[in-house]
């Protein structure tokens, strides 16, 4: 476990000793998505995460912007959580009944095949009983709160209670005046045009002041750290590239943000009787690493299911879907692969154009998580791919049959990289050990260059080479020229067979 002197301040690191940081008077600041994320976890994980937050509650400050955003979405998130819990119980029960009914149907099908008397009538009676059972259960669930049937302590909104306790304890940052907010928005316009983090990724999806909510939050944190001379532990699950780099399976807080924080929290000589103050430090986390770090350094126990969930990393998930993801775009690549090929690298393409591509080989090279918004995660998977295809020239038409005459094939081989985007919904009741589903996939980009080229015209060493061939015999596949043309598109040896 790292001590404070070993902390790399820009990496989300679950081995950081949070207890040591708090002993040095660090203050914890959580983004809105951290609090709202508690509603989307499974009950066991959510309770574990709340235990972690309660363990450090005395050191938490809530930005005013976070309070406003949380209050705006809290009620809908809590209701969505209730609905998911109820639907999970109902769907699970109905699925169990359907499996039993299907199993019995298979048994009765065997009895009917063996001519057992009354087997079909007995099966019909059983089906009626199962239909009655499903109706009874549907009515039962409709009349009662299913939340009281499961081992979940959230009969009340415990996240709301936690946030309200922070506000009641005056653990909330000073809000900005309206003029200050307008000034930040004006600054945001210039920053976003230059893609200066944080928040510029929200420019297309939000409007008005909401567009600049990330920047306002960032300014709140900096102002608080400077005025109170406090180092900050910042926790956010916004993993878009205007907060984090996500290369090499690590979350690296953007260096520009670390530098801006240090620069803007430093007390200048002119404001401190000629004595410059130190720059404050910021230690960033994504919430999973943060909870893990608290658990290890402050002895917050993890239930077994939480241990299991924490072990299921992005890499585990990608390993499960790497072939499935490629298969999902396979047909698109076969028919549309030419758009990703650098035509300037091709030796020659026949007048009839490139045919469909054959995927010779593909292998996953790398991946990265590019976005985590609400309960959806977007990954980009990069594959090394080898493809081949053919082209040919139009030579005319046969005088008798009027069939199109084309040249022998030109064979094209290309290699390069293909990037596929995969969108995954993280459901609170997902099976972490078999989570191989994704919502959508598409080709983001491709970059292929020619790696091989072969012209049958030039390949005189080929045993099947026929000088001056203008088409190919469909039976023996040898080239056809004026000397061995048997008519009707066949060579002289195969023509008699037709």
């Amino acid at each position: 476990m790292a001590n404070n002197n070993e902390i790399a301040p820009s990496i989300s690191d679950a081995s950081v000793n949070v207890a040591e940081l708090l002993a040095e008077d660090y203050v914890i600041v959580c983004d809105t998505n951290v609090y709202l994320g508690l509603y989307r976890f499974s009950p066991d994980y959510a309770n574990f995460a709340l235990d972690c937050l309660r363990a450090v509650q005395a050191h938490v400050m809530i930005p005013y912007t976070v309070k406003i955003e949380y209050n705006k979405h809290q009620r809908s998130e809590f209701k969505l959580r209730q609905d998911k819990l109820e639907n999970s119980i109902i769907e699970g029960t109905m699925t169990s009944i359907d499996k039993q009914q299907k199993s019995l149907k298979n048994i009765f099908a065997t009895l009917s095949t063996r001519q057992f008397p009354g087997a079909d009538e007995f099966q019909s009676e059983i089906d009626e009983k199962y239909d009655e059972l499903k109706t009874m259960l549907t009515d039962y669930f409709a009349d009662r709160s299913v939340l009281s049937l499961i081992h979940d302590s959230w009969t009340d909104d415990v996240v709301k209670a936690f946030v309200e306790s922070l506000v009641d304890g005056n653990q909330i940052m000073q809000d900005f005046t309206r003029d200050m907010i307008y000034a930040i928005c004006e600054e945001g316009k210039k920053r976003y045009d230059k893609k200066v983090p944080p928040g510029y990724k929200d420019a297309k999806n939000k409007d008005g002041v909401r567009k600049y909510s990330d920047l306002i939050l960032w300014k709140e944190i900096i102002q608080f750290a400077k005025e109170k001379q406090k180092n900050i532990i910042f926790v956010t699950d916004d993993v878009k590239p205007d907060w984090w780099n996500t290369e090499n399976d690590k979350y690296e807080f953007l260096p520009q943000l670390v530098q801006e924080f240090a620069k803007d929290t430093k007390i200048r000589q002119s404001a401190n009787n000629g004595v410059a103050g130190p720059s404050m430090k910021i230690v960033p986390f994504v919430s999973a690493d943060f909870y893990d770090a608290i658990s290890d350094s402050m002895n917050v126990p993890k239930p077994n299911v939480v241990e299991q969930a924490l072990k299921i990393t992005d890499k585990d998930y990608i390993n499960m879907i790497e072939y499935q993801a490629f298969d999902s775009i396979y047909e698109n690549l076969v028919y549309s692969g030419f758009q990703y090929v650098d035509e300037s690298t091709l030796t020659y393409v026949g007048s009839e154009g490139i045919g469909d591509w054959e995927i010779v080989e593909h292998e996953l090279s790398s991946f990265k998580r590019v976005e985590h918004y609400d309960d959806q995660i977007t990954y980009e998977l990069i594959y090394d791919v080898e493809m081949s295809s053919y082209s040919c020239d139009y030579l005319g038409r046969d005088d008798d049959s009027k069939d199109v005459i084309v040249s022998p094939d030109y064979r094209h081989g290309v290699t390069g990289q293909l990037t596929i985007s995969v969108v995954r919904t993280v459901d609170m009741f997902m099976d972490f050990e078999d989570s191989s589903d994704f919502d959508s996939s598409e080709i983001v980009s491709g970059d292929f260059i020619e790696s091989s080229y072969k012209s049958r015209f030039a390949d005189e060493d080929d045993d099947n080479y026929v000088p001056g061939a203008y088409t190919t015999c469909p039976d023996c596949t040898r080239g056809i020229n004026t000397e061995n043309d048997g008519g009707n598109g066949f060579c002289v040896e195969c023509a008699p067979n037709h």
Side-chain angles (χ1 to χ4, degrees), residues 310-473:
L310 290 175
K311 291 177 182 176
I312 304 302
T313 64
D314 287 342
K315 186 174 182 180
D316 295 317
Y317 174 69
I318 297 300
N319 286 342
M320 286 189 284
I321 69 159
E322 61 174 292
Y323 297 108
Q324 183 180 346
F326 192 90
D327 288 346
S328 69
I329 57 85
Y330 189 94
E331 187 173 349
N332 186 18
L333 186 60
V334 166
Y335 295 117
S336 306
F338 187 67
Q339 65 180 299
Y340 307 112
V341 177
D342 183 352
E343 296 183 53
S344 68
T345 67
L346 298 178
T347 302
Y348 177 76
V349 177
S351 61
E352 294 295 275
I354 292 280
D356 297 339
W357 291 93
E358 176 187 352
I359 314 303
V360 179
E361 190 174 0
H362 70 275
E363 182 178 3
L364 182 67
S365 171
S366 62
F367 76 91
K368 60 182 177 180
R369 183 195 287 197
V370 296
E371 186 171 8
H372 185 177
Y373 185 74
D374 286 341
D375 59 352
Q376 286 195 325
I377 300 176
T378 302
Y379 300 94
E380 285 187 356
L381 284 65
I382 302 173
Y383 293 83
D384 292 324
V385 182
E386 180 182 349
M387 305 189 299
S388 67
S389 187
Y390 64 90
S391 67
C392 56
D393 282 316
Y394 176 79
L395 300 180
R397 289 184 177 273
D398 183 271
D399 291 336
D400 298 325
S401 66
K402 305 303 180 183
D403 291 335
V404 172
I405 302 173
V406 296
S407 70
D409 294 341
Y410 308 105
R411 290 290 172 176
H412 309 275
V414 298
T415 57
Q417 288 194 323
L418 188 77
T419 300
I420 300 173
S421 173
V422 172
V423 178
R424 171 197 192 193
T425 296
V426 184
D427 186 84
M428 65 193 301
F429 289 98
M430 68 190 300
D431 183 350
F432 287 104
E433 290 187 339
D434 188 24
S435 174
S436 59
D437 293 332
F438 50 86
D439 299 333
S440 63
S441 62
E442 63 177 345
I443 299 174
V444 175
S445 62
D447 183 17
F448 292 88
I449 60 174
E450 186 175 79
S451 55
S452 65
Y453 172 77
K454 186 177 182 181
S455 169
R456 288 291 294 274
F457 283 118
D459 198 355
E460 297 187 10
D461 294 330
D462 191 325
D463 292 338
N464 292 322
Y465 176 72
V466 175
Y470 45 74
T471 190
T472 303
C473 177

Side-chain angles (χ1 to χ4, degrees), residues 36-133:
L36 295 179
L38 295 168
Y39 295 108
R40 301 165 192 152
F41 294 145
S42 66
D44 286 304
Y45 192 92
N47 288 328
F48 162 70
L50 272 167
D51 286 342
C52 291
L53 289 173
R54 290 179 182 125
V56 299
Q57 181 170 349
H59 305 274
V60 177
M61 288 293 293
I62 182 168
Y64 192 82
T65 303
V66 169
K67 172 181 173 290
I68 297 299
E69 285 292 313
Y70 170 78
N71 288 338
K72 182 177 180 180
H73 299 287
Q74 164 266 325
R75 182 174 297 179
S76 61
E77 289 291 340
F78 184 59
K79 184 179 185 304
L80 180 62
R81 182 180 189 277
Q82 289 178 306
D83 292 343
K84 282 188 176 181
L85 288 168
E86 293 185 4
N87 290 338
S88 175
I89 296 296
I90 296 171
E91 291 172 6
T93 304
M94 292 301 182
T95 299
S96 179
I97 293 173
D98 286 337
K99 287 182 178 178
Q100 293 178 11
Q101 185 175 8
K102 184 177 180 180
S103 177
L104 278 177
K105 279 189 173 182
N106 291 336
I107 294 173
F108 280 108
T110 302
L111 295 180
S112 296
T113 302
R114 296 180 179 178
Q115 302 299 314
F116 274 66
D120 291 339
E121 291 79 3
F122 192 32
Q123 173 63 60
S124 297
E125 292 178 15
I126 293 293
D127 286 340
E128 290 178 7
K129 295 298 181 183
Y130 270 106
D131 290 340
E132 289 179 17
L133 177 59

